[in-house]
Amino acid sequence: MARPTPLSGFPELLPGQRAIEAHVLDTLRRTFELHGFAGIETRVVEPLDRLAKGGEIDKEIYVLRRLQAADDQDDSGQASQLGLHFDLTVPFARYVLENAGKLDFPFRRYQIQPAWRGERPQEGRYRQFTQADIDIVGHGELPFHHDVEVMRVMVEALGRLPVPPLSFQLNNRKLIQGFYRGLGLPDLTTAIRVIDKLDKLPPEVVADQLVELAGATPEQAQRCLELATIRVPDTSFVDRVRELGVEDELLETGLAELAAVVEGCAPSAGERVTVEANLRIARGLDYYTGTVVEIFMSGYERLKSVGGGGRYDALADDGKTTYPGVGVSFGVSRTLVPLISDGVLTSSRSVPSAVLVALVDEESRGASDAVATALRARDIACEVAPAPQKFGKQIRYAERRGIPYVWFPPVDGHGGDAHEVKDIRTGDQVVADPATWAPPPEDLTPRISTSVMTKEHP
């Protein structure tokens, strides 16, 4: 059989790299659950008509069908048009509608799952990738304070991760729409979509498009750009916006909401995560109606955002009830795979084992197994050496795998009944009892290290 070649856009991690991802996922789950978010998992497929409802990424949807099935029939003879979900929002909206009678609202959920998108693979963009989402959804209404809560929880969660510093760039669609309405722009939706291109196009090009596509005058386009240049780490943006002289009731609501989110997130921010009001952030998707956020990673600005989200007043609608929500999505694969590839994130070992129990000979394998059983009973991950080689070779075996401790059972005629354990990093070896000994807490699981980034990689 020929050696297989990797599939572009479908990253696979080695064991040590997987330990990094597992640490990140465990940290996220723990933080989300500390704030009362319940974990769910949705199916990987959705009807194509639901997936394609937005119309923006139809060409990127992977279709699912059996190889030998008729072109458009499943086993029951019904039309079968299924696709793999490309994010977690669409299946979550369907989940809420299907289970509304069984859920308690406001419903707080987190979801960490793979998604699939058939786009051109590149750094940070993959055809299979893992996302971590949190959302709070209401029944008919959802008070604004949940916007503050969701943003604060994600700030706290990401602040616990061993990644380069992250920046939450916050804005509010009401602020943008109110400003444009106060200016008298004829096409607010198009204006928002055009402003959202500022990270890709020069300001003068964006200004021209505001005139050509959104019906703005050159003066109005310039005012839009002035708004988009406001970026501050506190609530001083309120006065700066008012200094532009535009008045509108919706604008005032947006200013108040954004100020509340910035202030509410500040206690959870720090060196690891910063929070800013950035009035150029628009997020092009039409369903956002209030708070919006983009998350960027220091040294990896080339990835664009590694997360984002906001308020949507109509996540789902069954014709009788509307389910508004607010949520944030973090791109786990988008963030971790480049960091792992660049050696920014490393793991101290490639296996969970903290201890390798040495094997004197095959006849004493049962004794070594008994030691391992005693250690595992106290949640100490360990494994027994695969073969009774010389102890020097067994130590080198542990070194290659990053296992920090080697346990030596008693050897007949050498040491009596004493067990000994050796820290092979320092050479320290002590007498130990399998029923009571434990490594330091920091050695119980693989340690994740982060290299300091001084500049962006080319």
Side-chain angles (χ1 to χ4, degrees):
M1 178 179 177
R3 184 176 181 177
T5 57
L7 283 176
S8 179
F10 295 88
E12 290 182 320
L13 301 179
L14 294 172
Q17 298 169 340
R18 172 60 180 161
I20 297 170
E21 183 186 52
H23 172 79
V24 166
L25 298 185
D26 288 344
T27 301
L28 293 174
R29 289 190 192 97
R30 185 166 60 252
T31 308
F32 296 156
E33 291 179 359
L34 282 173
H35 289 269
F37 286 77
I40 70 166
E41 182 172 307
T42 58
R43 66 195 186 207
V44 304
V45 296
E46 297 292 335
L48 279 180
D49 57 353
R50 181 173 292 275
L51 287 174
K53 189 174 181 181
E56 292 187 8
I57 62 169
D58 293 5
K59 63 182 179 180
E60 298 176 355
I61 296 174
Y62 281 110
V63 175
L64 183 72
R65 61 183 294 271
R66 291 191 300 113
L67 183 63
Q68 299 299 327
D71 289 343
D72 61 351
Q73 300 291 312
D74 63 15
D75 291 334
S76 64
Q78 298 175 330
S80 178
Q81 294 291 321
L82 300 176
L84 299 178
H85 60 233
F86 54 79
D87 69 4
L88 302 183
T89 300
V90 173
F92 178 51
R94 187 265 311 157
Y95 180 94
V96 169
L97 287 178
E98 283 190 10
N99 297 285
K102 304 172 185 177
L103 302 176
D104 292 321
F105 292 95
F107 177 49
R108 310 154 65 86
R109 86 78 161 91
Y110 75 85
Q111 192 171 348
I112 302 175
Q113 280 186 242
W116 293 265
R117 185 171 295 188
E119 61 182 352
R120 182 175 67 85
Q122 54 186 298
E123 185 186 39
R125 290 188 176 275
Y126 311 106
R127 291 173 173 169
Q128 177 176 314
F129 52 93
T130 298
Q131 291 186 193
D133 288 17
I134 57 171
D135 288 83
I136 300 179
V137 176
H139 184 276
E141 62 178 4
L142 185 70
F144 167 74
H145 66 81
H146 291 297
D147 289 42
V148 180
E149 180 181 12
V150 163
M151 298 300 156
R152 186 177 64 241
V153 171
M154 189 60 89
V155 167
E156 180 180 325
L158 299 191
R160 297 183 177 188
L161 301 185
V163 300
L166 297 165
S167 173
F168 276 62
Q169 304 292 311
L170 292 154
N171 201 359
N172 192 291
R173 292 288 283 263
K174 295 175 185 176
L175 188 161
I176 305 172
Q177 291 173 319
F179 187 87
Y180 293 170
R181 192 170 72 181
L183 275 179
L185 290 183
D187 189 342
L188 305 186
T189 301
T190 299
I192 290 174
R193 289 176 177 170
V194 172
I195 285 293
D196 201 36
K197 299 177 182 178
L198 271 171
D199 62 339
K200 303 175 183 177
L201 300 175
E204 57 271 18
V205 175
V206 172
D208 289 342
Q209 290 193 5
L210 285 170
V211 174
E212 296 170 7
L213 303 177
T217 67
E219 293 76 17
Q220 289 172 330
Q222 184 58 37
R223 302 295 288 283
C224 292
L225 292 179
E226 290 174 3
L227 180 74
T229 60
I230 297 175
R231 178 176 175 178
V232 295
D234 50 36
T235 59
S236 62
F237 69 88
V238 176
D239 290 335
R240 292 185 59 179
V241 172
R242 288 175 178 160
E243 289 171 0
L244 297 177
V246 177
E247 296 182 358
D248 185 89
E249 182 179 353
L250 188 61
L251 169 61
E252 289 299 319
T253 300
L255 287 171
E257 289 187 354
L258 180 56
V261 173
V262 172
E263 287 182 331
C265 290
S268 299
E271 293 184 2
R272 306 299 306 165
V273 178
T274 58
V275 175
E276 292 184 298
N278 184 345
L279 305 195
R280 71 183 289 177
I281 299 297
R283 289 192 65 82
L285 296 177
D286 292 340
Y287 57 72
Y288 289 113
T289 55
T291 303
V292 289
V293 64
E294 297 274 8
I295 306 169
F296 299 90
M297 184 164 60
S298 176
Y300 283 81
E301 289 78 10
R302 66 184 185 273
L303 298 178
K304 306 302 181 185
S305 66
V306 296
R311 159 72 74 137
Y312 33 88
D313 286 332
L315 169 72
D317 189 331
D318 60 9
K320 296 180 180 178
T321 304
T322 298
Y323 299 88
V326 58
V328 187
S329 176
F330 174 62
V332 176
S333 301
R334 184 175 179 80
T335 303
L336 294 188
V337 174
L339 293 177
I340 291 171
S341 298
D342 289 345
V344 175
L345 292 182
T346 56
S347 174
S348 62
R349 56 185 188 256
S350 61
V351 295
S353 303
V355 181
L356 175 73
V357 182
L359 187 63
V360 177
D361 49 42
E362 281 299 333
E363 288 71 22
S364 63
R365 183 175 289 278
S368 293
D369 285 339
V371 172
T373 298
L375 294 174
R376 292 173 189 140
R378 292 182 294 110
D379 294 328
I380 301 171
C382 60
E383 58 187 90
V384 175
Q389 299 172 310
K390 292 182 179 180
F391 282 166
K393 288 187 176 181
Q394 295 188 50
I395 291 173
R396 287 192 290 274
Y397 174 85
E399 286 176 333
R400 290 195 302 271
R401 296 160 70 83
I403 301 174
Y405 297 94
V406 175
W407 191 285
F408 299 104
V411 178
D412 290 342
H414 297 82
D417 297 330
H419 292 258
E420 295 187 356
V421 64
K422 181 173 186 175
D423 184 336
I424 63 176
R425 300 163 299 184
T426 65
D428 295 337
Q429 185 166 329
V430 297
V431 173
D433 183 348
T436 59
W437 177 88
E442 61 269 20
D443 287 333
L444 280 172
T445 58
R447 285 179 288 179
I448 310 303
S449 301
T450 307
S451 300
V452 177
M453 298 296 298
T454 57
K455 63 180 181 178
E456 184 178 1
H457 293 289

